[in-house]
Amino acid sequence: MLQNSIEFVRCNGSKSLAPELMAQLFDCYPPIYAEAPWFEWKKCSVCKRQWGTVHQEELALTDFMHCGEPLVEFWPRATVESDLKEAMDASGASFWLALQGNRLVGFCYGYAKTPEKLEEQMERPGLALAVKEKFGASVRYVAYQADIALIPEFRGRHLASQMFELRRKDFLAQGMQIGVVRVKMDPPSVTYLWYTTKLGYEVISEYHDAGKRVLLARSL
Ligand SMILES: [Zn+2]
């Protein structure tokens, strides 16, 4: 049925996006990341611990307090707006929206970074060197593959892999040859398994944090 078909639209900068689509994008972001596997709903501003919507009852027992302070939103609206607009307008940006009619059901984006700038942004000392050791000293830009997200009812329909492919070709067309992504390894996230097992990405840098996040890379 035509009304069920999904259309992928490239966003060509924040100024080009219709205000109602922009609003839908900002609205859908926090609820997606509030659930598994991210659990980015509330956080403690003191100890930085985070919880998802699944922990609502547990949090209610302590009146949404931790370390003596009220919990705060993990993704405040202003942060979502500024981060996503910045990503749309970034150099080498590839930003895609999945639409069913006028309804936004998912998005996918990334942008270009020099290995040095990515090292700074990711806060992983040695990352630029690791990229150059693996892919050659001549690498000037890598494609940082930020988020791929779908609202729950649209998952499991291969929409994520279609958006991934659109973004990948877009990066290649813009002259980038290396893709980098950050995922959680322990327990292995769906994204980690997909990038490593299915797509052959390899770990180039490890965080030693709670979710054992890693940076993966391979040639596009
Ligand atoms: Zn705390």
Side-chain angles (χ1 to χ4, degrees):
M1 271 168 27
L2 192 60
Q3 71 205 47
N4 280 332
S5 67
I6 303 293
E7 180 192 7
F8 298 106
V9 176
R10 190 181 192 279
C11 165
N12 300 309
S14 62
K15 293 201 169 55
S16 75
L17 196 61
E20 61 271 22
L21 271 182
M22 189 80 96
Q24 284 190 60
L25 176 64
F26 298 154
D27 287 345
C28 83
Y29 195 96
I32 287 176
Y33 288 97
E35 293 177 18
W38 302 283
F39 305 115
E40 296 172 348
W41 182 43
K42 303 281 184 192
K43 72 175 176 189
C44 171
S45 53
V46 181
C47 72
K48 311 296 178 201
R49 202 178 144 186
Q50 67 187 70
W51 296 265
T53 39
V54 68
H55 306 113
Q56 184 160 8
E57 281 182 28
E58 174 194 332
L59 296 180
L61 296 175
T62 53
D63 280 330
F64 291 85
M65 300 279 292
H66 204 261
C67 295
E69 295 285 333
L71 299 180
V72 296
E73 296 299 316
F74 196 99
W75 287 113
R77 176 79 173 204
T79 307
V80 172
E81 286 193 19
S82 65
D83 286 3
L84 291 177
K85 280 183 179 171
E86 193 182 317
M88 286 173 198
D89 297 331
S91 128
S94 181
F95 204 120
W96 296 85
L97 304 174
L99 302 175
Q100 186 184 53
N102 294 323
R103 183 183 180 202
L104 181 80
V105 303
F107 58 90
C108 166
Y109 67 93
Y111 38 80
K113 285 275 173 187
T114 64
E116 291 75 20
K117 284 280 175 200
L118 191 65
E119 170 171 327
E120 205 179 300
Q121 183 188 336
M122 297 287 118
E123 299 177 331
R124 289 317 302 143
L127 175 63
L129 190 63
V131 167
K132 292 184 177 189
E133 278 177 354
K134 190 164 175 60
F135 301 103
S138 61
V139 175
R140 289 181 57 218
Y141 292 96
V142 296
Y144 181 62
Q145 302 168 123
D147 297 333
I148 299 185
L150 287 155
I151 61 173
E153 64 200 273
F154 288 86
R155 292 174 195 164
R157 298 194 198 179
H158 304 294
L159 298 174
S161 48
Q162 289 180 66
M163 285 196 286
F164 173 87
E165 199 51 21
L166 287 165
R167 185 180 61 178
R168 188 182 73 84
K169 287 182 178 155
D170 205 1
F171 283 145
L172 285 171
Q174 295 187 72
M176 283 163 265
Q177 292 178 340
I178 311 299
V180 178
V181 64
R182 181 167 61 185
V183 293
K184 283 181 183 175
M185 188 171 77
D186 188 22
S189 62
V190 174
T191 339
Y192 171 79
L193 294 173
W194 191 56
Y195 275 101
T196 53
T197 313
K198 206 166 167 206
L199 300 176
Y201 275 69
E202 291 176 9
V203 175
I204 52 161
S205 182
E206 293 182 39
Y207 290 75
H208 301 283
D209 55 7
K212 276 208 79 182
R213 288 179 303 168
V214 291
L215 287 160
L216 306 173
R218 70 155 283 177
S219 54
L220 290 166

